[in-house]
Amino acid sequence: MATSSPVRVDEEIHACAAAVAPAMSRSTAQQISHWARIGKEFELAPDVSLRDIEQVLACDSSYDDLTSREQAIVRAEWAERTEQRRRTLDLVAEFEAAGMSYVEQDDEGTIIRRQP
C-alpha cells in the first residue's frame, strides 16, 4: 500500500477535484493524486522540452513554436502566475495612493464611485 503525506492544495484545485472526482469514481484526494501523476508524466514525456517551455515563460521564445503539450504546460503556469499576481493586488490602495477615483460594484450590483 502506498504511503501518503499531507500536502496543501490550492482551494481552486481542491474544488475542481471535488467536482470531478465522483464522475471518475475517485475521492478528492485520489483525483488530485491522479492529476499530479499525469503532470509528472507529462513533464517527463520525450516530446516535451522543458528548456523550450522555460524560454517561453522567460519571454525569450514564442509560444507558437511549442507543441500542443508544451503549450498546455505553459498555459497552466501562466494561470498559476496570474492567480498569484491577482492575490497580491491591492488596487484600492494603488488608486488611493495615486489620488485616482474608481468604481466598483457592490453585492447587489449597484455601481459605487469612489473618490480620492
Side-chain angles (χ1 to χ4, degrees):
M1 181 175 174
T3 61
S4 64
S5 300
V7 175
R8 289 191 181 271
V9 176
D10 181 87
E11 216 174 283
E12 180 186 356
I13 296 290
H14 188 273
C16 288
V20 170
M24 306 305 277
S25 300
R26 297 183 182 110
S27 68
T28 301
Q30 289 170 330
Q31 186 64 42
I32 292 169
S33 292
H34 174 71
W35 284 342
R37 282 189 298 278
I38 290 172
K40 181 182 101 178
E41 293 303 320
F42 203 43
E43 287 186 343
L44 295 174
D47 59 339
V48 173
S49 168
L50 293 180
R51 183 183 58 79
D52 290 348
I53 290 168
E54 288 169 358
Q55 286 182 332
V56 170
L57 293 172
C59 300
D60 292 333
S61 187
S62 173
Y63 170 85
D64 294 330
D65 293 338
L66 299 176
T67 67
S68 60
R69 288 182 180 192
E70 291 165 340
Q71 288 177 351
I73 293 170
V74 168
R75 285 192 307 272
E77 179 63 22
W78 281 341
E80 177 61 26
R81 289 180 183 188
T82 300
E83 180 57 27
Q84 287 175 354
R85 175 72 174 123
R86 189 192 63 75
R87 285 193 301 263
T88 65
L89 287 177
D90 186 352
L91 294 177
V92 171
E94 288 183 34
F95 288 143
E96 288 175 354
M100 297 173 62
S101 63
Y102 62 95
V103 295
E104 63 183 331
Q105 189 174 12
D106 67 14
D107 292 338
E108 288 77 41
T110 304
I111 301 294
I112 302 167
R113 182 173 181 83
R114 305 286 185 188
Q115 300 294 332

